[in-house]
Amino acid sequence: MDDIVLTGNSAAEMAQIKNILHSNFRVKDLGALKYFLGLEINHSADGIYVSQCKYCLELLADSGMMGCKPCSTPMDSSLRLHQDDSSDLLDDPLSYRRLVGRLIYLTTTRPDIAFATQQLSQFIAHPTKSHLGAARRVLRYLKGSPSKGLQFKRDTPIHLIGFSDADWATCVDTRRSITGYCFFIGNSLVSWKTKKQNTMSRSSSEAEYRALATSTCELQWLTYLLNDLRICCSMPAALYCDNQSALYIASNPVFQERTKHLEIDCHLVREKVQAGLMRLLPVPSFHQLADMFTKALSPHLFKSNVSKLELIDLYTPPA
């Protein structure tokens, strides 16, 4: 690695560090950050816009999909990928693995393909033609908006907000649930994840509670990071969940029969709520932004959720 990004809030200290680097190494100062490891950064009076347009177009060109017809979602909501597929195995599995690897890197600025990419990455050992077809659908979706990226506004309030969700027993092969979360600082999306849970859950409440535990760990890490950067939040962090049973388990200190099989580490949710790290709040399912990180949504719901993630396209004029 021979590229480095230098950032800070003191121009004098940054100039001093540059002088130290120049005196010890042969370095070139490229000025304000515009391009770094496939990331394109655009600065404006409103804020910072980060995308991977060039990387996305190269991916489409290398895959032979530049002339494909775009589609509205990265994954068919009725599709359930699984390992024991009747479809034929690919003759060249390496091409599938390279494609999925590049899609994973593209999720750095494209949370809208995070769930589809997570699903595809489960089958890199023995990919089939149906898996490749699902991967090509992601490319068709990207064809419609290759320059879409994240916007970080300068005037956003410093308030940490998270959404936690789970899709119970969604994996056809293992019947494990999917955890999904996303976190905002004000209106700016800063963290998101979609991952299959390590163990099977006996109920949707258990799956949601496990997702809450994972989300709480991420919220705590983000809080520590903000503290290290000496950034004070204007309000206590809030974590939203759309499952009432999971909220009751987190607030009820009684170790009930229905919760005794949960691991102790899952109960850190209640511990952090009582410690004042966050507020655990309910949210209606149709306002659950983490929903798109746990399942493939219909075009209408998908478009609605994406519009709330501050995911914009600088090169496409607003409708």
Side-chain angles (χ1 to χ4, degrees), residues 6 10-24:
L6 184 62
S10 173
E13 290 189 8
M14 291 179 63
Q16 183 180 2
I17 293 175
K18 289 179 184 179
N19 291 332
I20 295 174
L21 291 173
H22 278 293
S23 62
N24 291 276

Side-chain angles (χ1 to χ4, degrees), residues 183 212-222 265 268 272:
F183 285 92
L212 272 178
T214 302
S215 304
T216 300
C217 291
E218 180 69 8
L219 186 147
Q220 184 174 35
W221 181 82
L222 289 171
D265 59 355
L268 68 89
K272 298 305 177 183

Side-chain angles (χ1 to χ4, degrees), residues 142-192:
L142 293 172
K143 172 65 186 305
S145 55
S147 57
K148 188 173 288 186
L150 293 170
Q151 184 181 36
F152 302 93
K153 295 182 178 179
R154 300 185 188 276
D155 59 351
T156 188
I158 307 300
H159 180 205
L160 190 57
I161 304 171
F163 293 84
S164 174
D165 195 21
D167 196 17
W168 180 43
T170 190
C171 179
V172 177
D173 297 317
T174 64
R175 288 303 172 187
R176 295 181 184 178
S177 307
I178 299 293
T179 289
Y181 65 69
C182 58
F183 285 92
F184 296 79
I185 294 181
N187 298 321
S188 301
L189 182 65
V190 295
S191 178
W192 60 90

Side-chain angles (χ1 to χ4, degrees), residues 2-16:
D2 56 1
D3 297 321
I4 184 173
V5 175
L6 184 62
T7 182
N9 56 5
S10 173
E13 290 189 8
M14 291 179 63
Q16 183 180 2

Side-chain angles (χ1 to χ4, degrees), residues 40-296:
E40 301 173 43
I41 297 90
N42 291 277
H43 303 263
S44 69
D46 295 330
I48 299 174
Y49 169 79
V50 184
S51 69
Q52 292 171 280
C53 181
K54 181 175 181 293
Y55 181 86
C56 184
L57 292 174
E58 290 176 349
L59 173 58
L60 291 170
D62 294 344
S63 303
M65 300 289 285
M66 283 296 290
C68 68
K69 182 180 179 180
C71 59
S72 57
T73 61
M75 192 171 185
D76 185 354
S77 58
S78 63
L79 181 64
R80 292 293 183 270
L81 295 175
H82 55 94
Q83 191 63 63
D84 299 328
D85 201 302
S86 58
S87 180
D88 296 332
L89 292 173
L90 294 178
D91 296 330
D92 181 20
L94 290 178
S95 61
Y96 178 86
R97 294 165 189 165
R98 284 193 296 267
L99 173 58
V100 172
R102 297 181 72 175
L103 288 174
I104 290 174
Y105 187 64
L106 189 57
T107 59
T108 303
T109 59
R110 296 298 297 264
D112 49 339
I113 65 169
F115 175 75
T117 303
Q118 182 272 338
Q119 291 289 293
L120 295 171
S121 65
Q122 299 180 74
F123 310 106
I124 57 175
H126 303 289
T128 66
K129 291 183 179 179
S130 64
H131 300 147
L132 180 60
R136 285 176 174 167
R137 181 185 173 94
V138 178
L139 295 177
R140 289 176 54 204
Y141 168 74
L142 293 172
K143 172 65 186 305
S145 55
S147 57
K148 188 173 288 186
L150 293 170
Q151 184 181 36
F152 302 93
K153 295 182 178 179
R154 300 185 188 276
D155 59 351
T156 188
I158 307 300
H159 180 205
L160 190 57
I161 304 171
F163 293 84
S164 174
D165 195 21
D167 196 17
W168 180 43
T170 190
C171 179
V172 177
D173 297 317
T174 64
R175 288 303 172 187
R176 295 181 184 178
S177 307
I178 299 293
T179 289
Y181 65 69
C182 58
F183 285 92
F184 296 79
I185 294 181
N187 298 321
S188 301
L189 182 65
V190 295
S191 178
W192 60 90
K193 190 171 189 176
T194 175
K195 184 179 181 180
K196 186 160 62 176
Q197 295 182 359
N198 295 328
T199 58
M200 286 186 291
S201 298
R202 296 185 178 184
S203 65
S204 60
S205 299
E206 180 181 347
E208 293 276 0
Y209 196 57
R210 291 184 187 278
L212 272 178
T214 302
S215 304
T216 300
C217 291
E218 180 69 8
L219 186 147
Q220 184 174 35
W221 181 82
L222 289 171
T223 301
Y224 288 161
L225 179 62
L226 292 174
N227 290 338
D228 289 342
L229 296 174
R230 299 180 182 179
I231 297 175
C232 297
C233 292
S234 57
M235 297 174 62
L239 182 59
Y240 290 92
C241 175
D242 62 358
N243 187 277
Q244 290 292 339
S245 296
L247 294 174
Y248 291 150
I249 295 172
S251 61
N252 189 353
V254 179
F255 199 65
Q256 300 176 357
E257 179 72 19
R258 64 176 178 170
T259 63
K260 68 179 183 181
H261 56 277
L262 293 176
E263 284 86 348
I264 296 299
D265 59 355
C266 287
H267 292 290
L268 68 89
V269 179
R270 184 164 60 235
E271 176 186 329
K272 298 305 177 183
V273 171
Q274 293 175 344
L277 174 70
M278 64 183 184
R279 293 178 298 155
L280 195 56
L281 302 172
V283 63
S285 295
F286 54 85
H287 286 158
Q288 174 57 275
L289 297 186
D291 202 29
M292 64 178 297
F293 298 102
T294 62
K295 60 179 72 71

